[in-house]
Amino acid sequence: MKNISLFIICLAAIHNSYAQNVGIGTTNPTLGKLEIKGVAGAGTTVAAFGTDGAGLSIQKDVLGPIIGFNHYRDLTIANSQGKHFANGFAGILAQEVANGKIKFDMYDLGVKDGFTSIGRRALTIANNGNIGIRDEAISNITLYVPKVNNSTGSLYLAGTGHPSIFHFSANEDTYIRGGKDGSNVFINDIPNGNVILGNTTTKVGINITPRATLDVNGDMAMKKLVITSTGVLSSLDRQGASILYFSAPTGSTIVTGIAGGVDGMILHIVVTYQLGGLNNFILSSESASEPNANNKILGRNGPFVNTEIGGYGGATLIYDGIMNRWRVIGVAE
């Protein structure tokens, strides 16, 4: 009879446990099927799981909640970093409720029930979504990655063959590479996009350590535009070309202006035809009615004097930003 009574009591207890919440440290659990209030001992640990090995803890800190990985606190003293459940490394995931910041801290190798080392910040996520790696997040920067030491860089992006490295070594050099042999590096490849390199003292070297503002070790080619139009060409569109290649065997050509000049720009004219006279190609100098007009041409002998180029000849021009026009500085007839 006793066994039957005990069985009935157990069934009733099981039935009631499904019908109600369970509280530890509280007689009125309302926040979940299991609600725990308070901590164990003088520490901040509310619950611990897997304590027979590298366990997991839930802690109630004055700053906010903490999840400990192989980490717990069983006392509260100044500079306490907590303890290890088992031999090995440890870490915590914590939130500061006053500002919403979530942080990941890592601890060095330690022994069971021994104090952890001073924590190392691995990751910080601010409540606005900004992220700091190995440091705090910064309010107006989406991702903040500081340099660790002089033997490494702040960012290492590995391709299959070559990495891109930022702020490497004590000199903090930056290497931007394609990921393998034959890869391309595209910079600002958008319509009307600009690429600005350096400041007034910067030097750029191509296949060489630069000795001048631009130092090229190897061949250099400029865009060529082939022009077959004849007659009078006014405000000629260069289309970004630095070499204008005139190939028009059916008639004479007069160029009265070339659009798109900026101060210091060099332009080469190449004439590849001859109709039998010297004046089959003319760079028409500005007239008395248009002094200092943008994109006009100043002949090699001064204003109002045309420059004539013989067949298969050419000329070199430079744009004068003060005079606002092209100056002929050399002619090959």
Side-chain angles (χ1 to χ4, degrees):
M1 184 69 181
K2 255 188 199 182
N3 290 337
I4 293 175
S5 298
L6 181 59
F7 179 70
I8 293 172
I9 291 171
C10 288
L11 286 177
I14 292 172
H15 178 271
N16 289 336
S17 68
Y18 280 106
Q20 66 184 17
N21 299 335
V22 176
I24 299 176
T26 177
T27 58
N28 185 30
T30 60
L31 298 180
K33 300 303 292 183
L34 173 63
E35 183 177 341
I36 304 174
K37 288 188 177 181
V39 296
T44 62
T45 302
V46 175
F49 306 89
T51 57
D52 54 332
L56 183 75
S57 70
I58 298 176
Q59 304 171 33
K60 183 185 73 171
D61 189 73
V62 293
L63 296 178
I66 296 174
I67 299 175
F69 302 90
N70 195 31
H71 177 282
Y72 71 98
R73 287 188 175 92
D74 65 350
L75 73 167
T76 303
I77 59 175
N79 300 320
S80 170
Q81 287 80 55
K83 295 181 178 180
H84 295 260
F85 277 122
N87 295 345
F89 293 91
I92 64 170
L93 167 60
Q95 184 193 38
E96 296 182 9
V97 294
N99 55 38
K101 176 173 62 179
I102 294 178
K103 53 191 180 182
F104 293 80
D105 287 348
M106 314 301 292
Y107 301 99
D108 291 334
L109 188 68
V111 298
K112 174 178 172 56
D113 296 321
F115 283 108
T116 65
S117 61
I118 299 295
R120 251 188 334 271
R121 180 61 45 83
L123 182 69
T124 305
I125 305 175
N127 71 330
N128 63 357
N130 290 351
I131 296 173
I133 296 179
R134 297 187 66 95
D135 210 322
E136 298 294 328
I138 297 178
S139 61
N140 59 347
I141 297 177
T142 302
L143 178 63
Y144 173 58
V145 185
K147 183 177 170 65
V148 180
N149 55 56
N150 283 335
S151 63
T152 62
S154 61
L155 182 63
Y156 189 104
L157 302 175
T160 57
H162 306 291
S164 288
I165 310 173
F166 291 77
H167 314 132
F168 181 73
S169 77
N171 200 47
E172 301 199 5
D173 297 321
T174 293
Y175 300 81
I176 299 177
R177 307 180 175 108
K180 63 180 182 179
D181 290 352
S183 295
N184 299 314
V185 175
F186 298 91
I187 301 176
N188 205 28
D189 58 334
I190 58 174
N192 302 315
N194 297 321
V195 176
I196 300 173
L197 300 178
N199 57 27
T200 56
T201 61
T202 301
K203 298 176 182 178
V204 177
I206 300 177
N207 296 325
I208 193 173
T209 299
R211 300 158 297 177
T213 302
L214 177 61
D215 199 345
V216 180
N217 180 15
D219 297 327
M220 184 172 66
M222 297 181 289
K223 180 180 177 180
K224 179 182 73 174
L225 176 65
V226 177
I227 301 171
T228 58
S229 301
T230 58
V232 178
L233 306 179
S234 177
S235 295
L236 183 65
D237 183 3
R238 297 184 301 106
Q239 300 180 32
S242 296
I243 300 174
L244 301 183
Y245 199 85
F246 288 88
S247 178
T250 59
S252 299
T253 303
I254 300 175
V255 179
T256 65
I258 303 171
V262 297
D263 190 40
M265 181 179 289
I266 298 293
L267 182 63
H268 300 286
I269 302 289
V270 179
V271 179
T272 65
Y273 70 97
Q274 185 172 15
L275 295 178
L278 180 63
N279 61 351
N280 288 318
F281 189 94
I282 296 174
L283 295 176
S284 178
S285 186
E286 65 176 15
S287 67
S289 62
E290 55 180 16
N292 299 319
N294 289 357
N295 300 321
K296 294 299 180 179
I297 299 170
L298 179 63
R300 62 172 172 169
N301 294 316
F304 323 136
V305 179
N306 294 339
T307 299
E308 299 177 349
I309 302 174
Y312 304 104
T316 299
L317 294 75
I318 186 170
Y319 194 84
D320 189 324
I322 297 177
M323 304 181 74
N324 297 316
R325 58 197 191 275
W326 295 95
R327 295 173 58 93
V328 179
I329 58 175
V331 176
E333 297 179 343

